[in-house]
Amino acid sequence: MTEPVLTFTDRGIYCPAGDFFIDPWRPVARALITHGHADHARPGHGSYLATEAALPVMRHRLGEIKADGIRYGDARRIGDATVSFHPAGHLPGSAQVRVEVGGQVWVVSGDYKTRDDGFCEPFEPVRCHAFITECTFGLPVFTWAPQAEVAREINAWWQLCASEGRTALLGAYSLGKAQRLLSLLDPIGPILTHGAVEATNEVLRGQGCALPDTTHITPDIDLKAFRSPLVIAPPSALGGPWARRFRNAATGFASGWMRLRGIRRRRAMDRGFVLSDHADWPGLQEAIEATGAETVYATHGYTEIFARWLSEQGYDAHVVPTEFGNEADDVEPVA
Ligand SMILES: [Zn+2]
Ligand SMILES: [Zn+2]
């Protein structure tokens, strides 16, 4: 019996051969990070390794960290393990981490999306023996319409709001979703942003990400000077005092969870757009099949149901409890 390449500990996913953790949730000496979302890139580690494209956002969010960048596809030896990072298609810089020890290959997918959004580096399947997969949307009800269709819906909604003289107030997570939405808009008017969104825009622009012009909403800005605006803000700001300055605004929210009617209703938004940075049900299946893996570990999401389905398909499937899933689409956006 060979030792497993990765083990699951109370601090996170651990590689004994290389003595490092991947996306650990408690402080460790050496952390490999798949992407900058808060549930994966946490503060307090001794050193960080992430893709060069993921580092600017991590530094912006975590402050002073001892971090090293690696290019997609480059191999690095750590102890007796060889690691490399491969595009996860989740947001700019996001990666799957491939770990090889003694000819055995395991891949930690982090969060991933299989369909190319034309914005971040497209998902790249990596052959492996064992695959650790998220299953945030691991139910057949979660199938995504083509992105162009959703983009048309959002642009038509903005047009409608403008024709009614209303501000279009669109809720989207500040890292990843907001910028992907920006890349999909047909600007018929000015695009205004909440500070949390604009701060991330600036970081991504600084690393060469093409985004349309946006205006940061500061306290001294005169909102009446903007005709037919669309405002992008984090969902948490939408129901609060920040949003009250936009009188007579129509509200929309873009998330994979908008696929569920009950959640749409509870969020009390005028419009829900089904757009996710995670794989849908067919996407999860395609991704897993493309790895050629026999063993699959299911983490955050519908783990039990998804692992059962995988077992029925002949996979050696296991559920792994993790502490991922506190940001973005990971959690159902209701209490
Ligand atoms: Zn994420
Ligand atoms: Zn996550």
Side-chain angles (χ1 to χ4, degrees):
M1 244 309 275
T2 48
E3 282 286 296
V5 170
L6 299 172
T7 61
F8 302 96
T9 76
D10 60 354
R11 285 187 285 175
I13 301 169
Y14 178 64
C15 175
D19 191 23
F20 60 79
F21 288 82
I22 299 172
D23 291 354
W25 44 84
R26 276 188 254 303
V28 301
R30 192 198 278 267
L32 276 56
I33 304 293
T34 60
H35 65 290
H37 277 148
D39 53 326
H40 297 260
R42 299 184 192 228
H45 305 309
S47 73
Y48 294 76
L49 178 64
T51 67
E52 284 172 353
L55 277 184
V57 153
M58 283 171 55
R59 289 210 155 94
H60 164 68
R61 299 184 138 208
L62 300 173
E64 202 55 44
I65 51 170
K66 189 176 160 228
D68 202 2
I70 187 168
R71 274 182 310 190
Y72 285 120
D74 282 1
R76 183 173 300 202
R77 189 89 181 157
I78 305 177
D80 290 328
T82 304
V83 304
S84 54
F85 288 61
H86 305 268
H90 178 57
L91 51 87
S94 69
Q96 310 171 73
V97 180
R98 179 188 189 274
V99 185
E100 181 169 354
V101 178
Q104 281 288 307
V105 178
W106 288 42
V107 170
V108 177
S109 61
D111 294 334
Y112 66 93
K113 171 165 93 297
T114 47
R115 278 195 239 165
D116 186 4
D117 60 13
F119 179 63
C120 68
E121 308 86 359
F123 177 86
E124 195 180 274
V126 183
R127 303 288 294 179
C128 57
H129 299 98
F131 187 58
I132 299 169
T133 184
E134 59 137 315
C135 40
T136 307
F137 292 111
L139 289 182
V141 65
F142 295 109
T143 53
W144 311 146
Q147 172 175 278
E149 214 170 280
V150 185
R152 270 196 300 276
E153 278 177 32
I154 294 171
N155 284 311
W157 173 69
W158 184 6
Q159 192 84 58
L160 180 70
C161 293
S163 72
E164 292 171 345
R166 302 175 80 188
T167 297
L169 191 48
L170 183 56
Y173 295 99
S174 59
L175 169 56
K177 184 66 65 61
Q179 293 76 29
R180 182 177 167 200
L181 283 170
L182 281 169
S183 78
L184 297 177
L185 292 172
D186 287 335
I188 54 159
I191 303 167
L192 311 181
T193 51
H194 180 279
V197 170
E198 192 55 31
T200 309
N201 289 353
E202 275 171 29
V203 174
L204 291 179
R205 281 189 187 110
Q207 63 189 91
C209 218
L211 294 172
D213 288 338
T214 50
T215 303
H216 177 196
I217 300 166
T218 51
D220 52 334
I221 209 167
D222 177 16
L223 290 171
K224 287 192 287 294
F226 297 92
R227 277 182 73 85
S228 311
L230 180 135
V231 179
I232 299 190
S236 56
L238 249 56
W242 184 88
R244 268 178 229 132
R245 74 190 76 192
F246 306 103
R247 285 192 207 99
N248 196 27
T251 51
F253 185 50
S255 163
W257 295 109
M258 292 297 108
R259 182 72 184 76
L260 300 182
R261 196 172 299 142
I263 290 180
R264 274 205 304 271
R265 210 168 32 230
R266 288 201 294 279
R267 293 289 294 197
M269 294 286 172
D270 297 318
R271 285 293 300 273
F273 302 103
V274 184
L275 189 76
S276 177
D277 294 330
H278 292 260
D280 62 359
W281 172 254
L284 290 169
Q285 295 178 33
E286 277 161 38
I288 290 164
E289 208 185 314
T291 64
E294 285 171 12
T295 306
V296 179
Y297 295 91
T299 69
H300 57 322
Y302 293 98
T303 50
E304 304 284 344
I305 298 168
F306 193 57
R308 195 180 321 133
W309 182 85
L310 287 167
S311 299
E312 284 162 16
Q313 311 306 307
Y315 290 97
D316 173 27
H318 307 265
V319 171
V320 182
T322 58
E323 293 182 17
F324 304 130
N326 292 313
E327 175 165 338
D329 264 347
D330 291 328
V331 209
E332 185 186 308
V334 287

